[in-house]
Amino acid sequence: MKQHDIRSHLPHQLIHDVYVLLDDGDRRALAHTNLTPLEFNLLLQLDLEQGQRLTDVGAKLLCVKSTITRLVDRLERDGLVRRNPDPDDRRAQRLILTPRGAAVRAEALAMHNAAVERRMNLLDPEEQEQLTRLLLKLRDGLAADLAAQQAVDTER
């Protein structure tokens, strides 16, 4: 592999490795609540009154329709969410957090926040700020690159 290839691949590999470790830590932190990180993130999108359209939740979580349906089926079976007809669109459903779902979400959030604090405190405040700046720059650049690629793909 050429030197420039190694320089660009190493950060990518490290970000992947960190993601895997963070995901595993999230799974462990949420284990007591019996939620996966994806289920937890879905619950974070919801409220007790108006809810969100299933399609909007799926788009925010980058999930295809079959994945979001399976997640919602499980959460609904466990009494954490409920589906309501969308008053603005007969074909759509809105996903609403139940009181039980709100309680489980609050417990999961407390456990997750404690785990995030513990793990992020491996870096001192200055290192956290530097990492945040670099990750924001990378995130924004990747989003712009994906949008540009999508525009090119649409033109084809």
Side-chain angles (χ1 to χ4, degrees):
M1 199 178 284
K2 296 178 185 173
Q3 185 62 31
H4 70 277
D5 291 334
I6 293 171
R7 275 194 307 256
S8 61
H9 285 138
L10 181 59
H12 182 272
Q13 184 62 51
L14 290 171
I15 290 169
H16 177 268
D17 293 349
V18 168
Y19 167 78
V20 169
L21 292 168
L22 289 172
D23 187 60
D24 185 54
D26 288 349
R27 288 179 190 286
R28 291 170 191 247
L30 297 169
H32 178 71
T33 62
N34 202 31
L35 293 173
T36 66
L38 187 55
E39 292 166 341
F40 172 65
N41 283 311
L42 188 150
L43 293 180
L44 290 176
Q45 305 296 316
L46 304 179
D47 61 52
L48 291 162
E49 295 164 10
Q50 289 199 309
Q52 296 280 331
R53 281 188 175 173
L54 253 57
T55 52
D56 294 340
V57 172
K60 287 178 186 174
L61 298 176
L62 301 176
C63 291
V64 295
K65 188 176 179 179
S66 60
T67 300
I68 202 71
T69 299
R70 190 179 70 251
L71 285 171
V72 170
D73 286 348
R74 179 175 127 38
L75 294 171
E76 189 173 39
R77 184 190 70 232
D78 291 348
L80 305 180
V81 301
R82 73 174 190 275
R83 291 176 172 108
N84 280 1
D86 188 322
D88 300 325
D89 184 349
R90 291 183 314 152
R91 301 164 298 167
Q93 293 180 319
R94 295 188 82 76
L95 194 58
I96 297 175
L97 193 64
T98 66
R100 182 172 187 277
V104 169
R105 180 180 68 182
E107 180 184 3
L109 186 59
M111 293 174 157
H112 184 262
N113 285 346
V116 167
E117 286 290 319
R118 186 185 73 251
R119 291 178 286 170
M120 289 299 107
N121 283 333
L122 294 170
L123 301 175
D124 65 41
E126 185 178 306
E127 291 168 326
Q128 288 181 34
E129 287 177 25
Q130 181 182 17
L131 179 62
T132 299
R133 280 193 308 276
L134 292 171
L135 290 173
L136 286 169
K137 181 179 180 179
L138 181 60
R139 183 199 62 193
D140 293 347
L142 291 172
D145 181 63
L146 288 173
Q149 288 299 318
Q150 188 173 20
V152 168
D153 293 345
T154 303
E155 291 175 3
R156 290 184 185 165

